[in-house]
Amino acid sequence: MIYPLSALSTTDNIGIIGAGAAGIFTAYEVEKKFPGDFKIDIYDQGKEIGGHVSSTNVTYGGKEYTLDAGAQFFSHKAQPAYDELIEEAGLIDKVKAYPAGLTIWNSETQKHLFWVPSTYPGFVKYSLQDWKRIVEFGFFLVAAERFNTKIPPDWLMTVDDFLDGLDFVSTDFKKNVLKNLFSQFVLMPYDQIGKASALFAITYFIQNAFGPKAKSKDAIKFSTAVFNVNQSEIGLLGILEKVLEKSKAEKHTDLQAIRVAPEQEGIKLHFADKTTKLVKQVVLAGSPASSAELLKDSVVDPELKTLLKDLASQYTEITITLQKDTPCWMPHDPTQWSAANTLVNESAKKLTFSGWMGSLSPPYDKDQLIPVFKSWGFPDLPDKPCAHIFHTLRHDIMQPTVEFMKLREQLNQWQGKYGIFYAGGWTNWFDSQESALRSAKAIAAAIKPQVPEITQAASSTDKVYGRSEQTSGRSDQAAKWLSHLASYLDDSLQNQKNTLQQIIECAEKPDCDLSKLQPLHDDL
């Protein structure tokens, strides 16, 4: 049976299993919404909090840098709620903004397939072929912004179907640029990217480029930045430690929960040391696999157990490495290095990603960028020796297929049933600090019986991510971005300039058909 939530009193307690971002954010949001109303205990089998954060330190020029193998960087445009949380925690002075570009590199020919400089003046280095690529990119941006603001959001269109609808973009560009760009966000094997949710593949990138302004003020501003990336100088772990402190929750590390059992008088938590704890409500802030394991021997609906197992089956394990002094997986030409680098080996069907930490960290010795690189790949990193690795993390990641999106949507009906909630980046939007925080906010809004419906809170991300009836179908922000870009075009590239202007004018009209610009594109 499903036990109804009984009336809560100020003595009621909440147990949170998992002291990663989702668990700590949930403790914080519940305390913020109901100050002092709950006794919150947070449990984790690890010796320290943080989950998959995996922070480490390096020193260059006498300056110490805190780096994460997990999620350290974020975009304040794509993650406005997380940006606001950092401000609430009093940590905005620990966050810096850096201009970021991207490179897609053919590791077989040792040439770039596509690149975007970190600042707009970098476009003056573009070749004619680069400008042809960026014009096609402009077509894509307009279509992608429209798709990202669609109401209701369509999580069930595949990447392949989305690309098939871009008649105004060449097959070559779709294959060699867009699919490889998407792979940074869907984190799937090379030959399976087409099965991913298209909205999942584009939404973070589009929000990064065109999302709302941050509420906090960056410690460093770059007016000429093509894209901004924010970096925590104390790592994600430093942020989590401060947020946990503000949550007033009592942490219990090195204590593994092995079973969560709903009973008539409450929910009993069973631990590996053979102790138990009775709580009123529980938040499972781990992965679908860990949630399924905790509930496998409990009296809950078999349908819920099956759902969690099915979600867990959509995960795969990858290796993330940090290298220093010399990179193991970067473009051979250092002049082509960007903050984000995708190395493509089509014949081997392998993709490797490397972040250049030096471009996203303060310099040392006045102008020296730290030679530290973070890499991961699919199906895994290329099998070659690398003597420069100094930190490694094995990490389970979700495969954001359309099937996963369908399963995720089904989870909403189980939120709060048996007094159990599920928190994490996997439960909504795009797997990130932002989605972990959004799940925490949704739980805080539903934790008391008078606000029982978590389903609406969990799925109403439209306001957060810029969707409204007024913006749906338009591409105003893409138009502004392209207008800025066009100002760097040389007069000798008049065809490209004219085409960009036509794209901009189309982007500003909700009923404009991009396919009508095909003849202009063909002229390039």
Side-chain angles (χ1 to χ4, degrees), residues 381-497:
L381 286 168
D383 186 18
K384 71 172 187 177
C386 177
H388 306 286
I389 295 174
F390 69 97
H391 189 75
T392 300
L393 170 69
R394 292 294 289 177
H395 183 34
D396 287 331
I397 58 165
M398 58 182 280
Q399 305 283 279
T401 61
V402 166
E403 179 62 24
F404 186 92
M405 299 300 122
K406 292 177 181 177
L407 294 170
R408 185 173 76 173
E409 186 65 26
Q410 295 175 32
L411 184 69
N412 285 328
Q413 66 181 303
W414 297 103
Q415 291 281 16
K417 298 289 178 69
Y418 310 102
I420 301 171
F421 297 89
Y422 307 86
W426 58 277
T427 64
N428 69 96
W429 192 53
F430 177 88
D431 192 11
S432 60
Q433 302 100 319
E434 180 78 5
S435 52
L437 179 56
R438 286 290 149 188
S439 71
K441 286 179 175 291
I443 290 170
I447 207 76
K448 283 200 172 183
Q450 57 263 40
V451 194
E453 292 297 331
I454 193 171
T455 304
Q456 292 181 358
S459 59
S460 62
T461 55
D462 295 342
K463 290 183 180 178
V464 179
Y465 303 114
R467 296 189 182 94
S468 70
E469 295 294 345
Q470 289 71 38
T471 62
S472 183
R474 295 177 60 178
S475 309
D476 296 338
Q477 295 304 313
K480 291 178 182 177
W481 191 89
L482 292 170
S483 295
H484 198 172
L485 171 64
S487 67
Y488 288 88
L489 265 164
D490 187 270
D491 289 340
S492 64
L493 299 170
Q494 198 60 49
N495 282 352
Q496 285 73 27
K497 206 165 192 173

Side-chain angles (χ1 to χ4, degrees), residues 58 65 75 79 97 108 152 179 190 198 229 236 285 291 296 304 325 333 356 440 445 460 463 467 521 524:
V58 296
Y65 296 83
S75 162
Q79 303 194 57
E108 295 176 281
K179 268 198 173 181
Y190 183 85
V229 172
L236 178 54
S291 299
K296 72 175 184 179
L304 171 59
D325 301 333
D333 182 357
W356 180 19
S460 62
K463 290 183 180 178
R467 296 189 182 94
H521 173 255
L524 295 180

Side-chain angles (χ1 to χ4, degrees), residues 10 15 28 81 83 87 102 104 170 226 255 312 464 492-493 499:
T10 56
Y28 174 82
D83 184 72
E87 190 171 32
L102 64 91
I104 300 177
S170 68
V226 178
L255 183 59
V464 179
S492 64
L493 299 170
T499 304

Side-chain angles (χ1 to χ4, degrees), residues 190-247:
Y190 183 85
D191 57 352
Q192 296 180 31
I193 295 167
K195 299 177 182 178
S197 162
L199 184 55
F200 193 97
I202 70 166
T203 187
Y204 192 91
F205 180 79
I206 293 299
Q207 285 298 131
N208 185 358
F210 310 132
K213 291 183 178 180
K215 293 188 177 181
S216 61
K217 294 181 179 179
D218 291 318
I220 299 176
K221 288 287 186 182
F222 289 95
S223 60
T224 62
V226 178
F227 305 111
N228 270 319
V229 172
N230 296 77
Q231 151 86 302
S232 166
E233 294 189 328
I234 56 175
L236 178 54
L237 183 59
I239 292 173
L240 294 181
E241 288 172 341
K242 186 66 174 181
V243 174
L244 178 61
E245 176 187 331
K246 285 185 169 290
S247 76

Side-chain angles (χ1 to χ4, degrees), residues 67-88:
L67 305 172
D68 291 335
Q72 179 167 1
F73 305 109
F74 69 99
S75 162
H76 63 221
K77 287 186 176 181
Q79 303 194 57
Y82 183 58
D83 184 72
E84 187 177 75
L85 173 66
I86 290 172
E87 190 171 32
E88 291 173 359

